[in-house]
Amino acid sequence: MIHGRGGTAESILSLVPHLNLTDYAILAPQANGNTWYPFGFMTSDEGNFVALESSLRKIEEIVEEVIGGGIASENIYLLGFSQGACLSLEFAARHAQRLGGVVAFTGGLIGEKLKSENYSGDFEGTPIFIGSSDRDFHVPAKRINESAELLRKMGAEVTVKLFDDPDHTIRAEEIKWVNQKIFL
């Protein structure tokens, strides 16, 4: 579970009671200074490069540790909100493989422009959920849809749900959908 900008591991863990995660081990890393990268997710690639690479490496180390502990990749789920959702999607796309699922509450792939050459692998039908406002101030619906299309081309089963409100939040409808389709 990956928190958003300004959030904490503790804040993203507050979602646990609302999700069907009874039989899951939950890991929630903490970003240095409560941010995974310093600038918006669609700003200059150079500005975010060092922090983004460090953050992606942190997620990679956790995934490697889990796999090293005997958990198959198809039993690993990534979940994030806002900046954490972007980081979840970016990590998954750079290391596409069969995962249990990816849940992005308000997020898209990271970069000034999407560069398909940054991504490799095959999701082999991994379910990916992206939920957001249709007019979120931080994450444009256009980038969400572009991200979804790229992820589909990589073999993911992507569901996008855009809500008719301006809120930068996680909605009860999103939680319900994820509980019914991802965390069975």
Side-chain angles (χ1 to χ4, degrees):
M1 297 182 80
I2 305 173
H3 67 80
R5 180 187 308 274
T8 62
E10 185 176 292
S11 67
I12 195 73
L13 287 169
S14 70
L15 285 175
V16 171
H18 305 283
L19 297 167
N20 294 338
L21 299 176
T22 304
D23 295 327
Y24 292 78
I26 311 296
L27 303 173
Q30 175 64 50
N32 293 332
N34 299 0
T35 188
W36 297 105
Y37 44 88
F39 303 108
F41 84 112
M42 292 176 54
T43 58
S44 162
D45 294 339
E46 292 78 25
N48 281 327
F49 182 79
V50 172
L52 176 60
E53 292 302 313
S54 175
S55 295
L56 289 167
R57 182 68 190 139
K58 187 177 223 176
I59 304 306
E60 184 176 16
E61 288 169 358
I62 292 168
V63 169
E64 287 174 354
E65 184 178 330
V66 169
I67 290 172
I71 305 296
S73 66
E74 59 265 16
N75 293 319
I76 295 174
Y77 296 76
L78 301 171
L79 178 147
F81 170 65
S82 192
Q83 195 180 63
C86 296
L87 192 62
S88 296
L89 291 170
E90 187 71 17
F91 175 81
R94 289 189 185 197
H95 305 275
Q97 59 187 307
R98 176 65 182 163
L99 296 169
V102 180
V103 176
F105 293 122
T106 310
L109 291 169
I110 299 171
E112 191 171 1
K113 295 183 180 189
L114 292 186
K115 297 178 185 171
S116 59
E117 63 270 16
N118 288 347
Y119 309 114
S120 63
D122 183 348
F123 280 111
E124 300 177 34
T126 296
I128 297 179
F129 172 82
I130 307 172
S132 185
S133 160
D134 61 359
R135 54 192 179 277
D136 187 89
F137 180 77
H138 301 287
V139 182
K142 182 176 189 238
R143 175 54 67 94
I144 290 170
N145 288 321
E146 292 169 347
S147 299
E149 185 56 34
L150 192 148
L151 296 165
R152 284 184 189 106
K153 287 179 180 174
M154 296 177 70
E157 294 293 327
V158 183
T159 299
V160 173
K161 294 210 173 281
L162 297 176
F163 295 85
D164 183 20
D165 64 48
D167 302 329
H168 188 73
T169 189
I170 301 170
R171 294 155 195 81
E173 299 93 336
E174 294 174 89
I175 298 274
K176 182 179 178 183
W177 193 95
V178 168
N179 279 332
Q180 291 174 343
K181 306 290 185 177
I182 305 272
F183 300 122
L184 306 173

